[in-house]
Amino acid sequence: MTLRIALDQDLVGEVRTRFRYDPERPYEVLLTFHLGRADEADWVFSRELLRDGLRGLSGQGDVKLWPAYCPCHGSTLHLALESPYGSALLEASKPRVKAWLDRTYRSVSQAQEEAALPTDAQLASLLQG
């Protein structure tokens, strides 16, 4: 999928982005941004965050998502990403992202995803070392 990226106040570019989902890790999505160089930028965040971002403002900290409407591009999803190396504001086609996300839920339902999450006891055990 090609996303639009704000490069400057009045300058917009495009970045090829691969959306990936692994049913073995049902609670996360991976976005790989192809930057036109040898390296790529990967971002991993929760599938729930992406789902909620299609409906309204979602996230805090380094990943924020929200729906918008653009007269030129129609229904869009905005992604604001922050890292120690910089920040980016991207815009994707909301219908295309939703269609992709719906396919992930057909592969692994929300109930199956929740069953795959660690229990409170498992998390406590991990935190204790």
Side-chain angles (χ1 to χ4, degrees):
M1 189 179 312
T2 300
L3 278 61
R4 287 171 294 285
I5 183 169
L7 299 171
D8 196 320
Q9 185 174 1
D10 298 320
L11 183 61
V12 175
E14 293 183 340
V15 60
R16 285 187 9 249
T17 306
R18 183 173 57 233
F19 284 65
R20 290 186 283 171
Y21 179 73
D22 180 356
E24 296 294 318
R25 301 178 72 117
Y27 34 80
E28 68 183 37
V29 295
L30 171 66
L31 275 62
T32 301
F33 300 100
H34 301 277
L35 305 173
R37 304 183 306 240
D39 60 336
E40 299 175 332
D42 290 328
W43 282 78
V44 178
F45 49 90
S46 78
R47 186 167 69 153
E48 178 182 29
L49 179 77
L50 182 57
R51 183 198 66 210
D52 291 350
L54 290 168
R55 298 178 187 148
L57 180 59
S58 176
Q60 56 185 334
D62 57 352
V63 178
K64 294 181 189 81
L65 308 164
W66 65 94
Y69 181 82
C70 171
C72 298
H73 302 112
S75 187
T76 62
L77 174 67
H78 286 210
L79 297 91
L81 307 175
E82 299 262 344
S83 82
Y85 306 104
S87 61
L89 177 60
L90 299 127
E91 181 183 76
S93 163
K94 181 180 170 186
R96 289 192 66 198
V97 173
K98 184 177 181 323
W100 178 84
L101 186 62
D102 289 347
R103 286 192 303 273
T104 73
Y105 280 107
R106 285 193 294 276
S107 175
V108 177
S109 71
Q110 185 173 348
Q112 291 170 306
E113 173 187 339
E114 290 169 1
L117 292 172
T119 65
D120 288 343
Q122 290 169 322
L123 288 173
S125 174
L126 285 171
L127 293 174
Q128 291 175 351

